[in-house]
Amino acid sequence: MRTSTTDPITLNDIHDPEGHPFVVEGSGESALKIYFESEETKREYLGISVEHPGEDFKFNLNNPV
């Protein structure tokens, strides 16, 4: 698991992450543990909608020309 101690909302480094809120994105060796300065920035991060291009196959973006 990889670890990020930079809050993705404020871009501030968290020097002592113990006790700070975090989320784990992914699983296994490629998982990413992301620490946040506060519960507020964690909620803001979790509120960001994510596109899932691998799940929507209505359009073919392949351009073989």
Side-chain angles (χ1 to χ4, degrees), residues 11-23:
L11 301 179
N12 292 329
D13 289 326
I14 300 165
H15 299 288
D16 184 17
E18 189 172 323
H20 283 266
F22 66 88
V23 297

Side-chain angles (χ1 to χ4, degrees), residues 48-65:
I48 297 171
S49 61
V50 179
E51 294 182 23
H52 297 281
E55 296 175 1
D56 181 6
F57 297 109
K58 289 186 245 177
F59 303 102
N60 181 354
L61 300 179
N62 186 15
N63 186 358
V65 174

Side-chain angles (χ1 to χ4, degrees), residues 35-47:
Y35 283 95
F36 298 88
E37 285 188 286
S38 66
E39 286 292 336
E40 181 181 336
T41 59
K42 177 183 170 184
R43 277 192 303 275
E44 190 173 338
Y45 173 82
L46 292 174

